[in-house]
Amino acid sequence: ACFRLLCSLLIPALFLSGLLCVCLVVLLWGIRLWIQQRKKQLTSAGKDGKRPLLVAFFHPYCNAGGGGERVLWCAVRTLQKKYRNVTCVVYTGDRDATGEEIVEGAFRRFNIKLTHPVKFVFLEKRYLVEASLYPHFTLLGQSLGSVLLGWEALLKCVPDIYIDSMGYAFTLPLFKYLGGCHVGCYVHYPTISTDMLSVVRNQDTRFNNAAFITNSPLFSKFKLVYYYFFAFLYGLVGSCSDVIMVNSSWTLNHILSLWRAGACTSVVHPPCDVQTFLDIPLEEEKSTNEYSIVSVGQFRPEKDHPLQIRAFAKLLKEKRLGQQLSLKLSLIGGCRNQQDEERVNNLKCLCKELGVSDDVTFGINIPFEELKRRLAEATIGLHTMWNEHFGIGVVECMAAGTVILAHNSGGPKLDIVVPYEGRITGFLAENEDSYAETMAYILSLSPEKRLEIRENARRSVHRFSDQHFEETFLLSVEPLFK
């Protein structure tokens, strides 16, 4: 009787599930056909009678002026130079600026001049990907929000080739299966990484893992299950990409382990404006007892500025320099909002607490020319972010002629501060003690030895030039145009 009851419930349930699956497939197929029809209506033929190939970049913050935007505009310029019958489209949420102002901003900030006009598709629902909208389950919230924002983009313009250039992987299946596009992506930073999983698993307190979670085994287990679920979804959506470009070996390792699509994945280092810094003349240091240590990076929690201040204080306190030197630490960076400004105030309080206020200066949102001048005068370039995915600031410090001291992890460790032609290009450290010791060691070197390291570093950064980016980017995206 029990078996008969089970069968009488199970068979209708299976039938209903099958019917719902068929209805869903028919619905999605219908939407795809409708979108294809819409595409024909929205696009018109060019002057030669041929319909141009639409290549769309999904970059909701294209006017932000950071390293990710430099990649975007270099990519657009590269495609315009290579392909004549291509119209580049940028999906953006920057509705406070016109298309002309955005292009002018790219030229002013990055010295990137586009050879042809760009079509901008302005999106109204960018707020759906703002982290502030999701105080809890932020990763999942932003990812689902990006799908809705992607749907708005798809309805406004259906491209032939779609490239996510900002890390919204959940939009990829939308454009591939409903839009019928060839899809590619440029990954600056994995939305979730195996490192993030290990931080939660080991109950480490970090900027993205609050103390109240690490102190509770129950909360930690719940967050770990949530992260594994999200990592599974992230791997699923990412693996549907036809072309995957990553910015460093560190990002490559994580994307290969999560997306498992090695055949279509390649490293394309971001284009760094190395030439501007290489123009700074490299001279042997004048005989002096005054040295400056410079750090360049936005005042964000992951940049770990407190580590720089503590290591610097340790260096001064223990006087491991062998002689009395005048040392200054200069923290240069951008403040995006009030939270960043509060962070700077907290850093100033830390300087006071450690007794180094007179030896530490802050350069907030300084002009580019002043940045160049300060780097030209600096002996050491300091960088302390753990698992920095690439490290454009590290490359710029090396190009400017400082002796770089970066964190022994991520992009700096695997790609940038590595021997070049068998010669040393800089130094790596991990904690307060090793940073203080290495700074003391760099300052103890002879000016001739430091000059040799600076020259090696300068020669090595040509690997990250605009020209090298163009070559590797074109090789990677070629399958999308076949």
Side-chain angles (χ1 to χ4, degrees):
C2 190
F3 178 73
R4 274 202 304 275
L5 177 66
L6 195 64
C7 285
S8 66
L9 291 171
L10 191 62
I11 291 165
L14 287 171
F15 176 75
L16 192 63
S17 300
L19 191 65
L20 285 171
C21 284
V22 170
C23 288
L24 184 63
V25 169
V26 170
L27 177 67
L28 292 174
W29 187 252
I31 292 171
R32 181 182 166 116
L33 289 176
W34 174 69
I35 286 174
Q36 293 307 307
Q37 196 61 39
R38 191 176 170 84
K39 179 180 181 176
K40 287 175 187 171
Q41 292 167 357
L42 290 173
T43 54
S44 54
K47 292 175 185 174
D48 57 357
K50 292 179 182 176
R51 193 182 67 79
L53 198 68
L54 288 183
V55 180
F57 291 86
F58 190 74
H59 209 104
Y61 297 87
C62 74
N63 203 29
E69 288 66 58
R70 190 164 212 285
V71 170
L72 168 70
W73 298 119
C74 273
V76 169
R77 182 180 63 184
T78 303
L79 291 182
Q80 287 183 344
K81 282 199 282 190
K82 168 78 175 177
Y83 298 100
R84 289 190 176 180
N85 194 37
V86 157
T87 297
C88 288
V89 178
V90 176
Y91 297 117
T92 178
D94 293 302
R95 293 187 297 143
D96 56 346
T98 64
E100 290 79 12
E101 285 169 344
I102 292 171
V103 170
E104 172 57 33
F107 176 65
R108 195 177 62 252
R109 292 186 190 109
F110 308 121
N111 198 28
I112 294 171
K113 195 158 184 67
L114 304 178
T115 52
H116 300 292
V118 173
K119 181 182 174 185
F120 288 92
V121 175
F122 291 94
L123 307 174
E124 293 169 27
K125 296 183 176 65
R126 188 175 73 177
Y127 65 88
L128 291 171
V129 296
E130 297 278 355
S132 55
L133 193 63
Y134 313 99
H136 306 291
F137 301 101
T138 312
L139 293 179
L140 192 59
Q142 282 183 289
S143 298
L144 295 176
S146 73
V147 175
L148 296 173
L149 188 64
W151 177 248
E152 183 195 344
L154 187 58
L155 289 184
K156 287 184 173 177
C157 175
V158 187
D160 300 291
I161 295 169
Y162 170 80
I163 299 173
D164 162 43
S165 50
M166 224 187 144
Y168 294 107
F170 281 71
T171 62
L172 295 167
L174 187 71
F175 279 83
K176 182 168 186 172
Y177 299 117
L178 292 185
C181 314
H182 292 297
V183 298
C185 59
Y186 188 96
V187 185
H188 296 274
Y189 199 89
T191 306
I192 191 164
S193 66
T194 46
D195 289 325
M196 286 166 73
L197 291 168
S198 68
V199 162
V200 178
R201 196 186 304 112
N202 300 333
Q203 293 180 244
D204 290 342
T205 303
R206 287 189 185 268
F207 73 93
N208 58 353
N209 197 37
F212 80 90
I213 289 173
T214 58
N215 294 335
S216 165
L218 182 66
F219 282 156
S220 287
K221 281 186 175 63
F222 181 76
K223 186 169 183 178
L224 193 61
V225 169
Y226 160 56
Y227 267 20
Y228 271 113
F229 171 69
F230 183 82
F232 169 74
L233 289 180
Y234 184 58
L236 214 58
V237 297
S239 62
C240 79
S241 191
D242 301 311
V243 163
I244 302 161
M245 293 167 280
V246 297
N247 65 345
S248 69
S249 303
W250 181 84
T251 308
L252 175 73
N253 295 336
H254 287 286
I255 289 298
L256 287 179
S257 101
L258 290 162
W259 291 11
R260 303 183 188 281
C264 58
T265 307
S266 57
V267 176
V268 178
H269 291 306
C272 305
D273 191 12
V274 293
Q275 196 52 54
T276 305
F277 292 97
L278 289 171
D279 289 341
I280 298 170
L282 193 62
E283 297 167 357
E284 194 169 317
E285 298 164 29
K286 301 179 185 80
S287 177
T288 177
N289 285 338
E290 286 185 17
Y291 292 99
S292 104
I293 299 164
V294 170
S295 154
V296 181
Q298 284 185 316
F299 288 101
R300 302 205 306 259
E302 63 270 26
K303 297 296 182 184
D304 205 354
H305 288 94
L307 173 57
Q308 299 177 5
I309 294 165
R310 288 197 303 269
F312 179 71
K314 201 175 192 75
L315 175 70
L316 292 183
K317 187 181 174 187
E318 298 194 2
K319 291 195 170 56
R320 288 185 256 192
L321 306 173
Q323 55 177 309
Q324 284 293 348
L325 298 176
S326 171
L327 267 183
K328 296 286 179 193
L329 172 62
S330 184
L331 304 182
I332 299 170
C335 274
R336 303 160 299 172
N337 49 39
Q338 196 180 340
Q339 281 180 311
D340 287 355
E341 285 166 17
E342 285 171 13
R343 211 165 277 123
V344 170
N345 288 333
N346 291 338
L347 292 173
K348 287 177 179 175
C349 289
L350 179 63
C351 290
K352 200 173 284 184
E353 191 185 308
L354 296 172
V356 293
S357 292
D358 295 340
D359 305 300
V360 180
T361 60
F362 291 81
I364 317 293
N365 300 327
I366 65 171
F368 185 70
E369 286 307 312
E370 190 182 340
L371 170 66
K372 278 177 70 175
R373 182 181 61 77
R374 293 221 199 166
L375 281 173
E377 292 169 355
T379 303
I380 297 172
L382 198 57
H383 182 274
T384 47
M385 179 175 166
W386 172 74
N387 271 341
E388 171 79 85
H389 47 298
F390 178 69
I392 289 176
V394 176
V395 173
E396 289 175 346
C397 282
M398 289 165 74
T402 69
V403 178
I404 192 69
L405 173 55
H407 199 282
N408 189 26
S409 64
K413 177 186 181 179
L414 297 174
D415 292 316
I416 304 171
V417 192
V418 294
Y420 183 71
E421 295 176 351
R423 293 174 179 173
I424 189 169
T425 57
F427 299 88
L428 299 165
E430 286 178 25
N431 52 37
E432 198 179 307
D433 286 335
S434 59
Y435 268 100
E437 283 167 17
T438 312
M439 282 190 281
Y441 174 71
I442 293 167
L443 294 167
S444 73
L445 294 171
S446 67
E448 295 78 25
K449 183 62 183 171
R450 278 198 294 268
L451 182 63
E452 189 186 310
I453 294 167
R454 291 157 67 205
E455 285 171 343
N456 295 340
R458 274 198 152 187
R459 278 195 292 272
S460 76
V461 297
H462 287 289
R463 299 169 292 147
F464 310 115
S465 65
D466 287 5
Q467 188 186 346
H468 194 261
F469 168 81
E470 288 180 9
E471 290 165 5
T472 51
F473 177 77
L474 285 173
L475 274 174
S476 297
V477 298
E478 203 176 333
L480 297 176
F481 290 85
K482 286 177 180 173

